[in-house]
Amino acid sequence: IKVLRWAFSRKIIQSKELQEIQVQKINYFAGYLFPQISEQRLAWIMKCFLWLFLVDDLQERVSEEEFRSFIASLSFLEKGNGGFSED
């Protein structure tokens, strides 16, 4: 739930996407794969899985050129731009 709140508060996902992600329980997968890791590390992995889900969804909706441009613009590790900052 924290990861979804994080993504929603940063406008990474909208209400429609939030509902779809909750129904599909995408972030549960990380918990099943890594049951022994710390909560902080699990949150990071959940964020990665969420990004992968969103990238997969995006590539189905946009042109090849738009998708390539999007991928080229990603800055996953840059804090403050929807990346993987601690907050």
Side-chain angles (χ1 to χ4, degrees):
I1 300 290
K2 288 181 183 180
V3 171
L4 296 181
R5 277 192 232 136
W6 165 83
F8 189 74
S9 71
R10 284 162 180 72
K11 299 184 179 162
I12 296 168
I13 56 175
Q14 304 298 318
S15 295
K16 180 182 175 187
E17 292 166 319
L18 176 61
Q19 291 172 355
E20 183 179 347
I21 291 165
Q22 287 175 323
V23 168
Q24 293 183 6
K25 299 179 180 176
I26 291 162
N27 281 332
Y28 284 37
F29 186 57
Y32 292 126
L33 287 177
F34 306 103
Q36 304 293 328
I37 65 173
S38 71
E39 184 178 338
Q40 183 178 7
R41 285 187 178 189
L42 183 59
W44 279 63
I45 292 169
M46 288 176 158
K47 289 176 183 181
C48 288
F49 282 20
L50 178 61
W51 274 110
L52 290 173
F53 170 80
L54 295 173
V55 168
D56 178 63
D57 187 53
L58 178 69
Q59 66 86 23
E60 294 172 353
R61 295 183 290 131
V62 300
S63 71
E64 184 76 27
E65 183 177 319
E66 290 171 309
F67 186 68
R68 193 171 292 153
S69 175
F70 169 76
I71 294 297
S73 72
L74 291 178
S75 299
F76 285 110
L77 299 177
E78 187 175 335
K79 291 186 178 198
N81 288 332
F84 293 103
S85 61
E86 291 296 320
D87 52 9

